[in-house]
């Protein structure tokens, strides 16, 4: 090879080097995420990781921007085909996601699956935030979000402690055509009621959700009945709720006191926990509307 030809080849290689460097390593791109839990999705947004979301489940309703993200179905009835079609790198899920065989198929396809802990307590919410922040590599943002949550709850506690009202609340969850299910301890509703300054009448009776009999409702003597807005509409409104045999003779039934709240706000148990509790405290009359408005914990888009 002539000296002139060698120099020409070297020159071409040197020119090509910047082009090769500019292509970057494809493994350095942000991971494509799918979240299959409403609270987990809220946390992703709160941590600033929404640009990585390529799919969410049908329980992911907040913030409103989730409407523009591809839906992968209900978290308990996921489809491997629907999820894999979005080419995700990571799947964020809680223990109630499934079915198991679908999750196994997704993992075999090379998707990294992350089980996010979720228990309906303040400590549990801190764990959930920390776990999502770890997956997103946004630990500082996770710590800041947890600190904000503690500040909001402390503010709410100070407001509710100034009241001498501790109304007895019964939360009902109506599922399809089945019996009304009442909330005991270890439920999102129980925690929100107590953070609001109220008393869940079935906290000491049982854990989780159980069918409510007329005898149990009468013995619990609730002063207010709490339902989700969706359940209220499904049941035919407040009058229809009050006509239910299990509730008519209770103090709440006699006073016709039925409260309805947005379900995703009340039960998702995510970053808006203090917002949900503050709204309920206002609905129950534990804090007045002026205090509620001044708190800055009113429901709405972030």
């Amino acid at each position: 090879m002539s000296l002139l030809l060698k120099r020409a080849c070297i020159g071409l290689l040197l020119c090509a080097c910047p082009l090769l460097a500019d292509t970057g390593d494809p493994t350095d791109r942000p991971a494509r995420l799918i979240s299959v839990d409403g609270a987990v999705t809220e946390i992703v947004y709160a941590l600033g990781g929404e640009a990585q979301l390529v799919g969410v489940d049908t329980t992911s309703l907040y913030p409103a921007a989730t409407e523009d993200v591809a839906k992968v179905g209900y978290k308990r009835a996921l489809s491997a085909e629907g999820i894999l079609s979005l080419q995700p790198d990571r799947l964020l899920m809680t223990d109630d996601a499934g079915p198991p065989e679908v999750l196994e198929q997704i993992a075999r396809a090379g998707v990294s699956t992350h089980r996010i802990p979720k228990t309906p307590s303040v400590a549990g919410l801190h764990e959930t935030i920390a776990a999502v922040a770890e997956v997103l590599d946004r630990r500082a943002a996770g710590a800041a979000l947890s600190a904000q949550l503690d500040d909001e709850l402390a503010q709410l506690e100070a407001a509710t402690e100034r009241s001498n009202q501790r109304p007895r609340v019964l939360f009902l969850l109506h599922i399809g055509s089945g019996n009304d299910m009442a909330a005991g301890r270890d439920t999102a509703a129980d925690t929100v009621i107590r953070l609001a300054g109220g008393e869940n009448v079935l906290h000491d009776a049982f854990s989780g959700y159980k069918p409510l009999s007329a005898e149990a409702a009468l013995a619990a003597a609730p002063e207010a009945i709490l339902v989700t807005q969706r359940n209220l509409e499904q049941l035919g409104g407040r009058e229809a709720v009050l006509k239910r045999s299990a509730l008519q003779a209770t103090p709440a039934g006699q006073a016709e006191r039925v409260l309805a709240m947005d379900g995703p706000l009340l039960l998702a148990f995510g970053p808006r926990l203090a917002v949900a509790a503050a709204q309920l405290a206002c609905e129950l009359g534990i804090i007045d509307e002026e205090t509620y408005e001044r708190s800055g914990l009113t429901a709405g888009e972030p």
Side-chain angles (χ1 to χ4, degrees):
M1 182 182 292
S2 69
L3 180 60
L4 182 60
L5 184 56
K6 286 182 179 179
R7 286 176 177 173
C9 291
I10 292 172
L12 288 172
L13 287 172
L14 290 174
C15 290
C17 286
L19 295 175
L20 293 173
D22 286 345
T23 60
D25 185 348
T27 62
D28 290 339
R29 66 170 172 77
R32 294 168 60 86
L33 306 178
I34 289 180
S35 170
V36 291
D37 179 82
V40 171
T41 300
E42 282 194 38
I43 293 170
V44 171
Y45 275 88
L47 297 180
E50 64 273 17
Q52 295 178 242
L53 280 174
V54 296
V56 295
D57 77 315
T58 55
T59 71
S60 298
L61 301 171
Y62 186 92
T66 57
E67 295 178 5
D68 299 325
V69 184
K71 298 298 186 290
V72 297
Y74 180 50
K75 63 181 178 179
R76 296 178 189 267
L78 298 172
S79 162
E81 291 76 12
I83 288 176
L84 294 177
S85 69
L86 297 174
Q87 299 180 325
D89 300 304
R90 297 173 182 172
L91 174 68
L92 281 66
M93 60 187 180
T94 50
D95 283 339
D96 53 356
E101 58 271 19
V102 169
L103 298 178
E104 292 173 4
Q105 183 178 350
I106 292 169
R108 286 197 303 269
V111 178
S112 179
T113 57
H114 300 265
R115 289 196 176 272
I116 305 298
K118 186 180 178 184
T119 54
S121 67
V122 175
L125 180 51
H126 283 307
E127 291 179 359
T128 304
I129 292 171
V132 176
E134 181 73 23
V135 174
L136 268 61
D137 194 20
R138 293 174 179 264
R139 299 170 189 83
L145 182 59
S146 280
Q148 176 184 330
L149 173 65
D150 285 339
D151 288 345
E152 292 173 347
L153 290 174
Q155 179 185 351
L156 176 60
E157 183 179 13
T160 58
E161 284 182 346
R162 291 194 290 268
S163 173
N164 58 7
Q165 297 190 56
R166 294 292 180 267
R168 295 171 54 80
V169 183
L170 171 66
F171 176 75
L172 292 180
L173 184 65
H174 184 75
I175 304 175
S177 59
N179 293 330
D180 293 330
M181 305 292 286
R185 63 185 176 277
D186 302 323
T187 61
D190 175 75
T191 299
V192 174
I193 289 169
R194 291 186 293 114
L195 288 174
E199 177 186 348
N200 176 16
V201 293
L202 295 175
H203 176 84
D204 295 326
F206 53 82
S207 176
Y209 288 91
K210 290 189 176 181
L212 180 71
S213 66
E215 295 78 9
L218 188 61
E223 298 168 307
I225 298 163
L226 177 63
V227 295
T228 67
Q229 186 64 45
R230 181 181 179 184
N231 271 180
L232 183 68
E233 294 168 359
Q234 290 174 332
L235 294 171
R238 284 178 169 79
E239 290 185 3
V241 173
L242 292 167
K243 288 179 180 177
R244 302 177 84 77
S245 59
L247 307 176
Q248 289 179 340
T250 66
Q254 294 296 303
E256 300 185 349
R257 196 178 188 192
V258 177
L259 308 177
M261 284 183 61
D262 175 62
L265 174 63
L266 176 63
L267 302 178
F269 217 82
R272 296 182 296 158
L273 176 60
V275 173
Q279 180 176 320
L280 180 57
C282 184
E283 294 280 350
L284 290 169
I286 297 171
I287 61 176
D288 57 39
E289 290 190 13
E290 181 181 351
T291 301
Y292 175 55
E293 294 292 338
R294 195 171 59 244
S295 72
L297 295 175
T298 54
E301 293 289 333

